[in-house]
Amino acid sequence: MKAYRADVLTFQGQGVEASAHLQRDGYLVVGQSRGSPHPIFLAVGDAAAVKQQLIDGLGPEGDVDWASIPCEHLPGKILAPGFVDLHVHYPQVDVIGSPATGLLPWLENYTFPQEMRFADPAHCAAVADVFLQELMRHGVTTALAFATSHPASVNALFERAQQAHMRLITGKCLMDQHAPEGLRDTTEQSLLDSETLIQRWHGVDRLGYALTPRFVPTCSEAQLQGAGELAARYPSTWIQSHVAENRDEVAWVAQLFPKARSYLSVYEQFGLLRERALYAHGIYLDDADRQLLAQTQAAVAVSPTSNLFLGSGFFDHAAAERIPFHYGLASDVGGGTSFSPFQTMLANFYAGQASALTTGQRAKSALTPQHLWWRHTAGAAEALGLGGVVGNLAPGHEADFLVLNPQATPLLARRVSQAQTLDELLFAMIVLGDDRLIERTVMAGETRGLI
Ligand code: GUN
Ligand code: ZN
């Protein structure tokens, strides 16, 4: 058991009701519990609350020798939940910043050629290391990541994430059409490979498997059907894909499925909308789609740096408040430009401001600093179906947390010292923060790195 003493950032509530709380000079107690295979938070809050939680959780007062718990005092630091990245492509580390006129040429000219390199297992392992290091440096402790269509790319990422004790969910990209030789898979083998990977990795330590149909245009009907069948057979697996990101892509899907009510409804038709299904972007949705997301509990991974960089469009936050469904924030590297959750939260704010100008509808809460932060931590965990497990500092949650140093840069220190409210403090960190603000990333109770 170990205690940390500093200011402690936590979240309460859901959706528009979500809010943050900063406990000045609080405690975070980490340890093992019989109910969990991983280290968890045993107690969080001010000194009195923490003592009571330990007594409640561990037995009568006599059993808890408060004075004997080692305590690391971190004055001036903030203990915060690890960030949750709901959509990121590990094979696209070397695609970041590739200039293109939009999604489809970007895929063809930059992304597919880079992904072909993952036919080489040595390349998979080397990039997996870089990818996980970047996530950790930026304070991301849970990620839902695309691999490539090569099973070796999935094995490489799982092997390294397991060593790092990261909560990492990934899967083999399914793409049996409209993709180049060297990346295109075959229907039957792709489904067999997916099932083999599920059986090898899903639920091992902190790892999870995601069925990964790339997007409608690269998957035959038989492949989508097979993915839906696996999703039903393995209900605790995740599903990840893309939806309604770009106008040309939406038009292409309408050509491929002329009878479908919408792009999103194609996934419904194949049994791919359910809890633990995450669809990146969701820009060109209508209200019927939003209702479908709400009914099925499928979620959207909002990827603002990518949407701005590729000129895809703006996620409509006001509409998502009118018809609420689960969504959270994502880097979408390499369409996205940064691993940093601060960059993603700031881009989401900019995109929301721009979207409000074009639609005339302003979101009530989605663009406040507390809410931006919630959508990248506890709110993102809810969208993943991991609410109560990761994304917050509360008793019973897995012990993933960050030590933030608001003195990390001269400008940040100056600005933060003048913050009068929690919103001002959080916004200063969102706008001025980068990897230097993340002093330490703790996963499963330990500061982690790759050997
Ligand atoms: N749609 C299909 N594949 C991709 C991808 O790799 N990135 C993005 N942003 N959209 C996609
Ligand atoms: Zn993506």
Side-chain angles (χ1 to χ4, degrees), residues 14 276 377-392 397:
Q14 302 285 321
R276 297 192 167 202
T377 53
E382 289 290 337
L384 260 187
L386 289 177
V389 179
V390 295
N392 209 349
H397 284 60

Side-chain angles (χ1 to χ4, degrees), residues 2 40 118 140 176 247 253 270 319 338 357 374 395 404 413 430:
K2 180 170 176 187
I40 58 167
F118 288 72
V140 175
D176 66 353
R247 288 188 203 279
V253 172
F270 291 103
S338 174
L357 284 178
W374 180 78
L404 303 180
I430 289 170

